[in-house]
Coordinates of all heavy atoms in Angstrom, one line a residue:
M30 N 98.7 172.5 27.8 CA 98.2 171.4 27.0 C 99.2 171.0 26.0 O 99.9 171.8 25.4 CB 96.9 171.8 26.3 CG 96.3 170.7 25.4 SD 94.7 171.0 24.7 CE 94.6 172.7 24.4
D31 N 99.4 169.6 25.9 CA 100.4 169.2 24.9 C 99.8 168.3 23.9 O 98.5 168.1 23.8 CB 101.6 168.4 25.6 CG 101.1 167.2 26.4 OD1 99.9 166.7 26.2 OD2 101.9 166.7 27.2
K32 N 100.6 167.8 23.0 CA 100.1 167.0 21.9 C 99.3 165.7 22.3 O 98.3 165.4 21.7 CB 101.2 166.5 21.0 CG 101.8 167.6 20.1 CD 103.0 167.0 19.3 CE 103.6 168.1 18.5 NZ 104.7 167.5 17.6
L33 N 99.7 165.1 23.4 CA 99.0 164.0 24.0 C 97.6 164.3 24.4 O 96.7 163.6 24.1 CB 99.8 163.3 25.1 CG 99.2 162.1 25.7 CD1 99.0 161.0 24.7 CD2 100.0 161.6 26.9
D34 N 97.5 165.5 25.1 CA 96.2 165.9 25.5 C 95.2 166.1 24.3 O 94.1 165.6 24.3 CB 96.2 167.2 26.3 CG 96.8 167.0 27.7 OD1 96.5 166.0 28.3 OD2 97.6 167.9 28.1
V35 N 95.7 166.7 23.3 CA 94.9 166.9 22.1 C 94.5 165.6 21.5 O 93.3 165.4 21.1 CB 95.7 167.8 21.1 CG1 94.9 167.9 19.7 CG2 96.0 169.2 21.6
K36 N 95.4 164.7 21.4 CA 95.1 163.4 20.8 C 94.1 162.6 21.7 O 93.1 162.1 21.1 CB 96.4 162.5 20.7 CG 96.2 161.2 20.0 CD 97.5 160.5 19.8 CE 97.2 159.2 19.0 NZ 98.5 158.6 18.6
L37 N 94.2 162.7 23.0 CA 93.3 162.0 23.9 C 91.9 162.6 23.7 O 90.9 161.9 23.7 CB 93.8 162.0 25.3 CG 95.0 161.2 25.6 CD1 95.4 161.4 27.1 CD2 94.8 159.7 25.4
W38 N 91.8 163.9 23.7 CA 90.5 164.6 23.6 C 89.9 164.3 22.2 O 88.7 164.2 22.1 CB 90.7 166.1 23.8 CG 91.0 166.5 25.2 CD1 90.7 165.8 26.3 CD2 91.6 167.7 25.6 NE1 91.1 166.4 27.4 CE2 91.6 167.6 27.1 CE3 92.1 168.8 25.0 CZ2 92.2 168.6 27.8 CZ3 92.6 169.8 25.8 CH2 92.6 169.7 27.2
T39 N 90.7 164.3 21.2 CA 90.2 163.9 19.8 C 89.6 162.5 19.8 O 88.5 162.3 19.3 CB 91.3 164.1 18.8 OG1 91.9 165.4 18.8 CG2 90.8 163.7 17.4
L40 N 90.3 161.6 20.4 CA 89.8 160.2 20.5 C 88.5 160.1 21.3 O 87.6 159.5 20.9 CB 90.9 159.3 21.1 CG 92.1 159.0 20.2 CD1 93.2 158.3 20.9 CD2 91.7 158.2 18.9
A41 N 88.5 160.8 22.4 CA 87.3 160.9 23.3 C 86.1 161.5 22.5 O 85.0 161.0 22.7 CB 87.6 161.6 24.6
A42 N 86.4 162.5 21.8 CA 85.3 163.1 21.0 C 84.7 162.2 20.0 O 83.6 162.3 19.6 CB 85.8 164.4 20.4
K43 N 85.5 161.2 19.5 CA 85.1 160.3 18.5 C 84.4 159.0 19.2 O 84.1 158.1 18.5 CB 86.3 159.8 17.7 CG 86.9 160.8 16.8 CD 88.0 160.3 16.0 CE 88.6 161.4 15.1 NZ 89.8 160.9 14.4
G44 N 84.3 159.1 20.5 CA 83.6 158.0 21.2 C 84.5 156.9 21.7 O 84.1 155.9 22.3
Q45 N 85.8 157.1 21.6 CA 86.8 156.1 22.0 C 86.9 156.2 23.6 O 86.8 157.3 24.1 CB 88.2 156.4 21.4 CG 88.2 156.2 19.9 CD 88.1 154.7 19.5 OE1 88.7 153.8 20.2 NE2 87.3 154.5 18.5
I46 N 87.2 155.1 24.2 CA 87.5 155.1 25.6 C 89.0 155.4 25.8 O 89.9 154.8 25.2 CB 87.2 153.7 26.2 CG1 85.7 153.4 26.1 CG2 87.6 153.7 27.7 CD1 85.4 152.0 26.5
V47 N 89.3 156.5 26.5 CA 90.7 156.9 26.7 C 91.0 156.8 28.2 O 90.1 157.1 29.1 CB 90.9 158.3 26.2 CG1 91.0 158.4 24.7 CG2 89.9 159.3 26.7
P48 N 92.2 156.4 28.5 CA 92.6 156.2 29.9 C 92.7 157.6 30.6 O 93.0 158.6 29.9 CB 93.9 155.5 29.9 CG 94.5 155.9 28.5 CD 93.3 156.0 27.6
D49 N 92.5 157.6 31.9 CA 92.8 158.8 32.7 C 94.3 159.1 32.5 O 95.1 158.1 32.5 CB 92.4 158.6 34.1 CG 92.7 159.8 35.0 OD1 91.8 160.7 35.0 OD2 93.7 159.8 35.6
R50 N 94.7 160.3 32.5 CA 96.1 160.7 32.3 C 97.0 160.1 33.4 O 98.1 159.7 33.1 CB 96.2 162.2 32.3 CG 97.5 162.8 32.0 CD 97.7 162.8 30.5 NE 99.1 163.1 30.1 CZ 99.5 164.1 29.4 NH1 98.6 164.9 28.9 NH2 100.8 164.3 29.2
S51 N 96.4 159.9 34.6 CA 97.2 159.3 35.7 C 97.6 157.9 35.4 O 98.6 157.3 36.0 CB 96.5 159.4 37.0 OG 95.3 158.6 37.0
L52 N 97.0 157.2 34.5 CA 97.3 155.8 34.2 C 98.5 155.7 33.2 O 99.0 154.6 33.1 CB 96.1 155.0 33.6 CG 94.9 154.8 34.6 CD1 93.7 154.2 33.8 CD2 95.3 154.0 35.7
L53 N 98.8 156.7 32.5 CA 99.8 156.7 31.5 C 101.2 156.7 32.3 O 101.4 157.5 33.2 CB 99.7 157.9 30.6 CG 98.4 158.0 29.8 CD1 98.4 159.2 29.0 CD2 98.2 156.7 28.9
K54 N 102.1 155.9 31.8 CA 103.4 155.8 32.5 C 104.5 156.5 31.7 O 104.5 156.5 30.5 CB 103.7 154.3 32.7 CG 102.7 153.5 33.4 CD 102.5 154.1 34.8 CE 101.4 153.3 35.5 NZ 100.7 154.1 36.6
T55 N 105.5 156.9 32.4 CA 106.7 157.5 31.8 C 107.6 156.4 31.4 O 107.5 155.2 31.8 CB 107.5 158.4 32.8 OG1 108.0 157.5 33.9 CG2 106.6 159.5 33.4
P56 N 108.6 156.6 30.5 CA 109.5 155.6 30.1 C 110.3 155.0 31.3 O 110.5 153.8 31.3 CB 110.5 156.3 29.2 CG 109.7 157.4 28.6 CD 108.8 157.9 29.7
E57 N 110.6 155.8 32.3 CA 111.3 155.3 33.5 C 110.4 154.4 34.3 O 110.8 153.3 34.8 CB 111.7 156.5 34.4 CG 112.8 157.4 33.8 CD 112.2 158.4 32.8 OE1 111.0 158.7 32.8 OE2 113.0 158.9 32.0
Q58 N 109.1 154.7 34.4 CA 108.1 153.9 35.1 C 108.0 152.5 34.3 O 107.9 151.5 34.9 CB 106.8 154.6 35.2 CG 106.8 155.7 36.2 CD 105.5 156.5 36.2 OE1 105.0 156.8 35.1 NE2 105.1 156.9 37.4
I59 N 107.9 152.6 33.0 CA 107.8 151.4 32.2 C 109.0 150.5 32.4 O 108.8 149.3 32.5 CB 107.5 151.7 30.7 CG1 106.2 152.4 30.6 CG2 107.7 150.5 29.8 CD1 105.9 153.0 29.2
K60 N 110.2 151.1 32.4 CA 111.4 150.3 32.6 C 111.3 149.6 34.0 O 111.7 148.4 34.1 CB 112.6 151.2 32.5 CG 113.9 150.4 32.7 CD 115.1 151.4 32.5 CE 116.4 150.6 32.4 NZ 117.1 150.6 33.6
A61 N 110.9 150.3 35.0 CA 110.8 149.7 36.4 C 109.8 148.6 36.4 O 110.0 147.5 37.0 CB 110.5 150.8 37.4
I62 N 108.7 148.7 35.7 CA 107.7 147.7 35.6 C 108.3 146.5 34.9 O 108.0 145.3 35.4 CB 106.4 148.2 34.9 CG1 105.7 149.3 35.8 CG2 105.5 147.1 34.6 CD1 104.6 150.1 35.0
Q63 N 109.0 146.7 33.9 CA 109.6 145.6 33.1 C 110.6 144.8 34.0 O 110.7 143.6 34.0 CB 110.3 146.0 31.9 CG 109.3 146.5 30.8 CD 109.9 147.2 29.6 OE1 110.9 147.8 29.7 NE2 109.2 147.1 28.5
E64 N 111.4 145.6 34.8 CA 112.4 145.0 35.7 C 111.7 144.2 36.8 O 112.2 143.1 37.1 CB 113.3 146.0 36.3 CG 114.3 146.6 35.3 CD 115.0 147.9 35.8 OE1 114.7 148.3 37.0 OE2 115.9 148.4 35.1
S65 N 110.6 144.7 37.3 CA 109.8 144.0 38.3 C 109.3 142.7 37.7 O 109.3 141.6 38.4 CB 108.7 144.9 38.8 OG 107.9 144.1 39.6
A66 N 108.8 142.7 36.5 CA 108.3 141.5 35.8 C 109.4 140.5 35.6 O 109.2 139.3 35.8 CB 107.6 141.9 34.5
D67 N 110.6 140.9 35.2 CA 111.7 140.0 35.1 C 112.0 139.3 36.4 O 112.3 138.1 36.4 CB 112.9 140.8 34.5 CG 112.8 141.2 33.1 OD1 111.8 140.8 32.4 OD2 113.5 142.1 32.7
L68 N 112.1 140.1 37.5 CA 112.4 139.6 38.8 C 111.3 138.5 39.2 O 111.6 137.4 39.6 CB 112.4 140.6 39.9 CG 112.5 140.2 41.3 CD1 113.7 139.3 41.6 CD2 112.4 141.4 42.2
N69 N 110.0 138.9 39.0 CA 109.0 137.9 39.3 C 109.1 136.6 38.5 O 108.9 135.5 39.1 CB 107.6 138.6 39.1 CG 107.3 139.6 40.1 OD1 107.6 139.5 41.3 ND2 106.6 140.7 39.7
T70 N 109.4 136.7 37.3 CA 109.5 135.6 36.4 C 110.7 134.7 36.9 O 110.6 133.5 37.0 CB 109.7 136.0 34.9 OG1 108.6 136.7 34.5 CG2 109.9 134.8 34.0
A71 N 111.8 135.3 37.2 CA 113.0 134.6 37.7 C 112.7 133.9 39.0 O 113.0 132.7 39.1 CB 114.2 135.5 37.8
V72 N 112.0 134.5 39.9 CA 111.7 133.9 41.2 C 110.7 132.7 41.0 O 110.9 131.7 41.5 CB 111.1 135.0 42.2 CG1 110.5 134.3 43.4 CG2 112.2 136.0 42.6
L73 N 109.7 132.9 40.2 CA 108.7 131.9 40.0 C 109.4 130.7 39.2 O 109.1 129.5 39.6 CB 107.5 132.4 39.2 CG 106.6 133.3 39.9 CD1 105.6 133.9 39.0 CD2 106.0 132.6 41.1
D74 N 110.3 130.9 38.3 CA 111.0 129.8 37.6 C 111.8 129.1 38.6 O 111.9 127.8 38.6 CB 111.9 130.4 36.5 CG 111.1 130.8 35.3 OD1 109.8 130.5 35.2 OD2 111.6 131.5 34.4
H75 N 112.5 129.8 39.5 CA 113.4 129.1 40.5 C 112.5 128.3 41.5 O 112.9 127.1 41.8 CB 114.1 130.2 41.3 CG 115.0 129.6 42.4 ND1 116.2 129.0 42.2 CD2 114.8 129.5 43.8 CE1 116.7 128.6 43.3 NE2 115.8 128.9 44.3
V76 N 111.4 128.8 41.9 CA 110.5 128.1 42.8 C 110.0 126.8 42.1 O 110.0 125.7 42.7 CB 109.4 129.0 43.4 CG1 108.4 128.1 44.2 CG2 110.0 130.0 44.3
A77 N 109.5 127.0 40.9 CA 109.0 125.9 40.1 C 110.0 124.8 40.0 O 109.7 123.6 40.0 CB 108.5 126.3 38.8
A78 N 111.3 125.1 39.8 CA 112.3 124.1 39.7 C 112.7 123.4 41.0 O 113.3 122.3 41.0 CB 113.6 124.8 39.1
H79 N 112.4 124.0 42.1 CA 112.8 123.5 43.4 C 111.7 123.0 44.4 O 112.0 122.4 45.4 CB 113.7 124.5 44.1 CG 115.0 124.7 43.4 ND1 115.1 125.7 42.4 CD2 116.2 124.1 43.5 CE1 116.4 125.6 41.9 NE2 117.0 124.7 42.5
I80 N 110.5 123.4 44.0 CA 109.4 123.1 45.0 C 109.1 121.5 44.9 O 109.3 120.9 43.9 CB 108.1 123.9 44.6 CG1 107.2 123.9 45.8 CG2 107.5 123.4 43.3 CD1 106.1 124.9 45.7
R81 N 108.7 121.0 46.0 CA 108.4 119.6 46.0 C 107.3 119.3 47.0 O 107.0 120.1 47.9 CB 109.6 118.8 46.4 CG 110.1 119.0 47.8 CD 111.4 118.3 48.1 NE 111.8 118.4 49.5 CZ 112.2 119.5 50.1 NH1 112.4 120.6 49.4 NH2 112.5 119.5 51.4
K82 N 106.6 118.2 46.8 CA 105.5 117.8 47.7 C 106.0 117.7 49.1 O 107.1 117.2 49.4 CB 104.9 116.5 47.2 CG 103.7 116.1 47.9 CD 103.1 114.8 47.3 CE 101.9 114.4 48.1 NZ 101.3 113.2 47.5
G83 N 105.2 118.2 50.0 CA 105.5 118.2 51.4 C 106.4 119.3 52.0 O 106.7 119.3 53.2
M84 N 106.7 120.3 51.1 CA 107.5 121.4 51.6 C 106.6 122.3 52.5 O 105.4 122.4 52.3 CB 108.0 122.3 50.5 CG 109.2 121.7 49.7 SD 109.7 122.8 48.4 CE 110.9 123.8 49.4
S85 N 107.2 122.8 53.5 CA 106.5 123.8 54.4 C 106.5 125.1 53.7 O 107.3 125.4 52.8 CB 107.2 123.9 55.8 OG 108.4 124.6 55.6
T86 N 105.5 126.0 54.2 CA 105.5 127.3 53.6 C 106.7 128.1 54.0 O 107.2 128.9 53.2 CB 104.2 128.1 54.1 OG1 104.2 128.0 55.5 CG2 103.0 127.5 53.5
E87 N 107.3 127.7 55.1 CA 108.6 128.4 55.5 C 109.7 128.1 54.5 O 110.5 129.0 54.1 CB 109.0 128.0 56.9 CG 110.3 128.7 57.4 CD 110.7 128.2 58.8 OE1 109.9 127.6 59.5 OE2 111.8 128.6 59.1
E88 N 109.8 126.8 54.0 CA 110.8 126.4 53.0 C 110.5 127.2 51.7 O 111.5 127.6 51.1 CB 110.8 124.9 52.8 CG 111.3 124.1 54.0 CD 111.1 122.7 53.9 OE1 109.9 122.2 53.7 OE2 112.1 121.9 53.9
I89 N 109.3 127.2 51.3 CA 108.9 127.9 50.1 C 109.2 129.4 50.2 O 109.8 130.0 49.3 CB 107.4 127.7 49.7 CG1 107.2 126.2 49.5 CG2 107.0 128.6 48.5 CD1 105.7 125.9 49.4
D90 N 108.9 130.0 51.3 CA 109.2 131.4 51.6 C 110.8 131.6 51.5 O 111.2 132.6 50.9 CB 108.8 131.9 53.0 CG 107.3 132.0 53.1 OD1 106.6 132.0 52.1 OD2 106.8 132.1 54.2
R91 N 111.5 130.7 52.0 CA 113.0 130.8 51.9 C 113.5 130.7 50.5 O 114.4 131.5 50.0 CB 113.6 129.8 52.8 CG 115.1 130.0 53.1 CD 115.7 129.1 54.2 NE 115.1 127.8 54.4 CZ 114.4 127.5 55.5 NH1 114.1 128.4 56.4 NH2 113.9 126.3 55.6
L92 N 112.9 129.8 49.7 CA 113.2 129.7 48.3 C 113.0 131.1 47.6 O 113.8 131.6 46.8 CB 112.3 128.7 47.6 CG 112.8 127.2 47.6 CD1 111.7 126.4 46.9 CD2 114.1 127.0 46.9
V93 N 111.8 131.6 47.8 CA 111.4 132.9 47.2 C 112.4 134.0 47.6 O 112.9 134.8 46.8 CB 110.0 133.3 47.5 CG1 109.7 134.7 47.1 CG2 109.0 132.3 46.9
Y94 N 112.6 134.1 48.9 CA 113.5 135.2 49.4 C 114.9 135.1 48.9 O 115.5 136.0 48.4 CB 113.5 135.1 51.0 CG 114.4 136.2 51.6 CD1 114.0 137.5 51.7 CD2 115.7 135.8 52.0 CE1 114.9 138.4 52.3 CE2 116.6 136.8 52.5 CZ 116.1 138.1 52.7 OH 117.0 139.0 53.2
N95 N 115.5 133.9 48.9 CA 116.9 133.7 48.5 C 117.0 133.9 47.0 O 118.0 134.5 46.5 CB 117.4 132.3 48.9 CG 117.6 132.2 50.3 OD1 117.8 133.1 51.1 ND2 117.5 130.9 50.8
S96 N 116.0 133.5 46.2 CA 116.0 133.7 44.8 C 115.9 135.2 44.5 O 116.7 135.7 43.6 CB 114.9 133.0 44.1 OG 114.8 133.2 42.7
A97 N 115.0 135.9 45.1 CA 114.9 137.4 44.9 C 116.1 138.1 45.3 O 116.5 139.1 44.6 CB 113.7 137.9 45.6
R98 N 116.8 137.7 46.3 CA 118.0 138.5 46.8 C 119.2 138.3 45.8 O 120.0 139.1 45.7 CB 118.4 137.9 48.2 CG 117.4 138.2 49.3 CD 117.3 139.7 49.6 NE 118.6 140.1 50.1 CZ 119.0 141.4 50.2 NH1 118.2 142.3 49.7 NH2 120.2 141.7 50.7
R99 N 119.2 137.2 45.1 CA 120.3 137.0 44.1 C 120.1 137.7 42.8 O 121.0 137.8 42.0 CB 120.4 135.5 43.8 CG 121.0 134.6 44.9 CD 121.4 133.3 44.4 NE 120.3 132.5 43.8 CZ 119.5 131.7 44.5 NH1 119.7 131.5 45.8 NH2 118.5 131.0 44.0
Y100 N 118.9 138.2 42.6 CA 118.6 138.9 41.3 C 119.3 140.3 41.3 O 119.2 141.0 42.3 CB 117.1 139.1 41.2 CG 116.6 139.5 39.8 CD1 116.6 138.5 38.8 CD2 116.4 140.8 39.4 CE1 116.2 138.9 37.5 CE2 116.0 141.2 38.2 CZ 115.9 140.2 37.2 OH 115.6 140.5 35.9
P101 N 119.9 140.6 40.2 CA 120.6 141.9 40.1 C 119.6 143.1 40.3 O 118.5 143.1 39.8 CB 121.2 142.0 38.7 CG 121.2 140.6 38.2 CD 120.1 139.9 39.0
G102 N 120.0 144.0 41.2 CA 119.2 145.2 41.4 C 118.2 145.0 42.5 O 117.4 145.9 42.9
A103 N 118.1 143.8 43.1 CA 117.2 143.5 44.2 C 117.6 144.3 45.5 O 118.8 144.4 45.7 CB 117.0 142.0 44.5
P104 N 116.7 144.7 46.3 CA 117.1 145.4 47.5 C 117.7 144.5 48.5 O 117.6 143.3 48.5 CB 115.7 145.9 48.0 CG 114.7 145.2 47.3 CD 115.3 144.6 46.1

């Protein structure tokens, strides 16, 4: 048992809703989530700037794919 467990149990004993321990993220997981959010924002901004009426879903898919591939750290 660590300090976090004690704090969570104390809050729960006071009637607070506490998350299941599995929902808590490590600093590394939080960093990966932030990087994912940055990628999603960049892709959506790119698509918003280039989408036009009458585009096929294939063209939109290509915009998304090409934008995501240019993002640093993308697979």
Side-chain angles (χ1 to χ4, degrees):
M30 176 172 35
D31 62 13
K32 289 181 182 182
L33 180 59
D34 289 320
V35 172
K36 185 172 184 175
L37 292 176
W38 288 338
T39 302
L40 290 171
K43 293 179 181 179
Q45 295 289 318
I46 298 172
V47 285
D49 180 82
R50 187 80 190 240
S51 67
L52 294 176
L53 302 177
K54 304 300 178 206
T55 65
E57 294 79 20
Q58 290 170 318
I59 292 169
K60 183 175 187 259
I62 292 167
Q63 290 169 333
E64 290 171 355
S65 174
D67 291 344
L68 170 60
N69 287 325
T70 300
V72 169
L73 290 173
D74 287 347
H75 178 77
V76 171
H79 293 89
I80 199 166
R81 64 186 189 288
K82 186 176 181 177
M84 284 183 87
S85 69
T86 53
E87 182 180 349
E88 290 171 302
I89 296 168
D90 289 347
R91 196 169 23 255
L92 274 176
V93 170
Y94 178 80
N95 290 337
S96 177
R98 295 292 295 159
R99 285 194 302 268
Y100 194 80

